[in-house]
Amino acid sequence: MERRRVPNPLALAVLAWLLLEPMHPYELGRRLRQSGKDRHVKYTRSSLYMVVEQLTRVGFIVERETVRDGQRPERTVYEITDEGSQEFHDWLRALLAQPREEYPHFAVALSLLSLLPPDDAVEVLRKRLAALAIKIDESRVATDDALAQGVDWYFLVEERYALAVMEAESAFVADLIQSLAAPGYVKSWQEAMASRMGRP
């Protein structure tokens, strides 16, 4: 995948909102929170301003004007350039078309799972399963509420994707717990550990 000039995913979100209309960083942050997009794009106030500065430096956005709203400090309004619009569309198409390695922490833990005693592994995975159930319920409620308020489904695709991933992970973890609790696995794990420790 091509290396982006500003690779932070927050930059893609900033370009997306500026495609709709010019705005200042404070308004960008407000819209990210209001739309729920901040659940999928992590940022802080300082990281948002840093990304805006980076996008300005490479010419993807430019300062349009400085405005003052009542007693608030002056705020700089930014707008997207033609080059920024091209970058947004190229980047979005690449992300949608090309799978990439994400290196999730859970996969790292799974690769080391056999080092835990089966009882311990089952216990912690049951905790994960319970946590997933809560997150799945929250996601379903949030999606249903948004649809009930008239939000079109295509504005919720990232939430539907996250829900599908969590449901698949939940099914995987439930199946894994059964496998780890099976007498055959427990016996083979005990034999393997005894062999590593040099015990007969």
Side-chain angles (χ1 to χ4, degrees):
M1 185 177 289
E2 180 185 351
R3 172 75 176 173
R4 315 314 304 191
R5 289 166 66 186
V6 185
N8 188 332
L10 179 57
L12 186 68
V14 169
L15 292 173
W17 282 107
L18 292 181
L19 270 175
L20 301 177
E21 63 180 300
M23 62 186 80
H24 49 73
Y26 178 84
E27 178 65 13
L28 283 165
R30 188 186 72 80
R31 297 216 185 170
L32 282 168
R33 292 189 304 273
Q34 189 178 53
S35 65
K37 305 302 183 189
D38 59 337
R39 295 181 61 182
H40 304 283
V41 181
K42 300 301 178 187
Y43 73 96
T44 62
R45 185 173 181 272
S46 61
S47 66
L48 178 58
Y49 279 86
M50 181 184 72
V51 162
V52 166
E53 181 181 327
Q54 291 171 335
L55 290 171
T56 305
R57 195 161 50 242
V58 298
F60 292 157
I61 64 176
V62 293
E63 295 182 7
R64 176 173 176 168
E65 60 182 333
T66 300
V67 298
R68 181 185 291 276
D69 184 9
Q71 298 299 314
R72 294 177 178 169
E74 289 186 343
R75 290 179 173 157
T76 302
V77 174
Y78 293 85
E79 65 182 356
I80 195 167
T81 63
D82 289 343
E83 188 179 4
S85 178
Q86 184 65 49
E87 170 68 4
F88 169 79
H89 287 98
D90 288 347
W91 191 358
L92 182 59
R93 289 186 182 103
L95 286 175
L96 290 171
Q98 301 170 19
R100 59 178 294 176
E101 295 293 336
E102 301 289 350
Y103 305 107
H105 293 180
F106 186 44
V108 176
L110 287 174
S111 73
L112 304 171
L113 180 65
S114 63
L115 297 177
L116 279 181
D119 288 349
D120 288 354
V122 167
E123 180 183 352
V124 295
L125 286 171
R126 281 181 175 150
K127 290 179 180 178
R128 186 180 189 92
L129 198 59
L132 281 167
I134 292 171
K135 293 183 64 133
I136 287 170
D137 285 345
E138 289 173 348
S139 179
R140 285 177 178 155
V141 168
T143 301
D144 290 346
D145 286 350
L147 290 170
Q149 293 172 22
V151 177
D152 291 314
W153 68 267
Y154 45 82
F155 289 120
L156 301 168
V157 289
E158 77 278 15
E159 196 65 41
R160 293 171 61 192
Y161 169 73
L163 178 59
V165 170
M166 287 189 293
E167 288 173 336
E169 182 181 322
S170 180
F172 170 82
V173 171
D175 184 65
L176 180 58
I177 288 171
Q178 284 190 331
S179 298
L180 293 170
Y185 172 75
V186 174
K187 182 181 178 183
S188 66
W189 183 88
Q190 290 169 340
E191 291 172 349
M193 288 300 110
S195 175
R196 288 179 187 176
M197 297 296 185
R199 295 197 297 267

